[in-house]
Amino acid sequence: MKLPWMSRTDRRAWKSARTIEDLGELMARWLEGTIQSRPGYAARYGPEDETTALVPSLAALCRAGAITTGSQPGLTGPGANGGWWTQRAWVDLVVTDRALLDRLVAIVTAGGMLVRVHDHHRGAARSTDDPIVATTCDGKPTMAVGSRMRGVDLALEWEGLHRSLVAQVTHGWQVSVVAPQAGSAGNWPLWDLLDEVSGLRDPAEDDWGTFDVPDPGECRLCGAPIYHPGPYCSSACRTADEGDPADDVVPR
């Protein structure tokens, strides 16, 4: 049985943090499993199983100064309730450095991602952008991201940090980045773009190109050869693969 409180060692580690660099390192370590607990999350629990594949990208963002506070991969499929669920890939971040914020927004916007930024500096104008629906069940919205959090809620999320660090993270920019497409089709561009922001990926070293102009016989959405047995990148990809026997095509 897991104890419902943070260990003394973890409490001391979070309380000792003074800078965004300190906070980013601790958040990265929690994502990687070397710290059991983090502020604003159930004590002695790590990330959800669906986050496992995202940990390298999220940890790199944290160490670069863009502190991740929530995320999900893009998925589509049946849920436990029997409904059809769709998820857009997304990530919520706290950024306190203006140059990093500008770089982040420029890269993900150029890559076609949806972005919401809320400036919590004292006296800053409030954003009027609506939240973005991130999850649906049978076409009905079940979760949205990108809404503005109240200052009191931001402080509660970081309870246990030194007050000077709480002041830094609660008076920065709260950023949400969301893939425009639901399902796995949104994973590739979102996480690659975020890896570029963190420095985990150098786009100059990429040699795979893009799927903007597919070759004959390739899915326009994910680049996979048409008439293959799956998995499909989305329901649209599956639909595109139906209705043609293609007897002379060997499945992969």
Side-chain angles (χ1 to χ4, degrees):
M1 184 182 71
K2 295 185 179 182
L3 297 174
W5 56 79
M6 193 181 295
S7 71
R8 183 177 300 175
T9 299
D10 285 357
R11 287 201 306 271
R12 287 174 175 170
W14 292 104
K15 192 69 175 180
S16 67
R18 292 292 186 275
T19 67
I20 294 299
E21 290 76 16
D22 294 339
L23 179 60
E25 179 60 31
L26 290 171
M27 287 293 288
R29 289 173 57 192
W30 174 77
L31 286 161
E32 294 165 345
T34 60
I35 291 180
Q36 289 185 314
S37 305
R38 55 153 284 196
Y41 202 83
R44 302 176 191 265
Y45 281 86
E48 297 290 335
D49 290 343
E50 69 174 8
T51 307
T52 299
L54 311 181
V55 166
S57 295
L58 298 173
L61 283 166
C62 288
R63 290 188 169 109
I67 311 301
T68 66
T69 57
S71 65
Q72 76 177 17
L75 298 171
T76 58
N81 66 346
W84 184 261
W85 290 78
T86 67
Q87 290 186 180
R88 284 176 168 175
W90 60 267
V91 63
D92 283 341
L93 310 109
V94 177
V95 181
T96 60
D97 178 78
R98 184 62 199 234
L100 177 59
L101 173 72
D102 291 345
R103 171 177 164 79
L104 166 66
V105 172
I107 289 174
V108 298
T109 301
M113 301 299 103
L114 308 176
V115 183
R116 296 290 184 268
V117 178
H118 296 285
D119 188 347
H120 284 270
H121 289 85
R122 292 180 177 86
R126 294 198 173 198
S127 171
T128 59
D129 290 333
D130 292 330
I132 301 167
V133 173
T135 305
T136 68
C137 179
D138 292 333
K140 298 179 180 179
T142 62
M143 186 184 71
V145 296
S147 59
R148 181 185 176 90
M149 292 182 65
R150 299 182 304 164
V152 63
D153 294 327
L154 288 172
L156 287 173
E157 184 173 23
W158 297 108
E159 188 175 11
L161 297 185
H162 190 274
R163 62 183 181 181
S164 65
L165 188 51
V166 171
Q168 291 182 61
V169 296
T170 58
H171 292 96
W173 293 274
Q174 311 293 316
V175 185
S176 297
V177 184
V178 186
Q181 292 177 291
S184 58
N187 282 327
W188 162 69
L190 175 62
W191 302 111
D192 274 7
L193 290 167
L194 292 171
D195 288 348
E196 181 179 345
V197 173
S198 69
L200 189 63
R201 179 181 74 90
D202 183 354
E205 296 179 358
D206 293 335
D207 58 5
W208 35 258
T210 71
F211 296 135
D212 291 342
V213 182
D215 292 331
E218 285 187 346
C219 172
R220 183 173 294 276
L221 295 176
C222 69
I226 297 297
Y227 312 121
H228 66 95
Y232 295 91
C233 70
S234 65
S235 58
C237 177
R238 180 185 292 275
T239 299
D241 202 4
E242 293 174 347
D244 190 329
D247 293 333
D248 59 341
V249 178
V250 178
R252 65 183 174 93

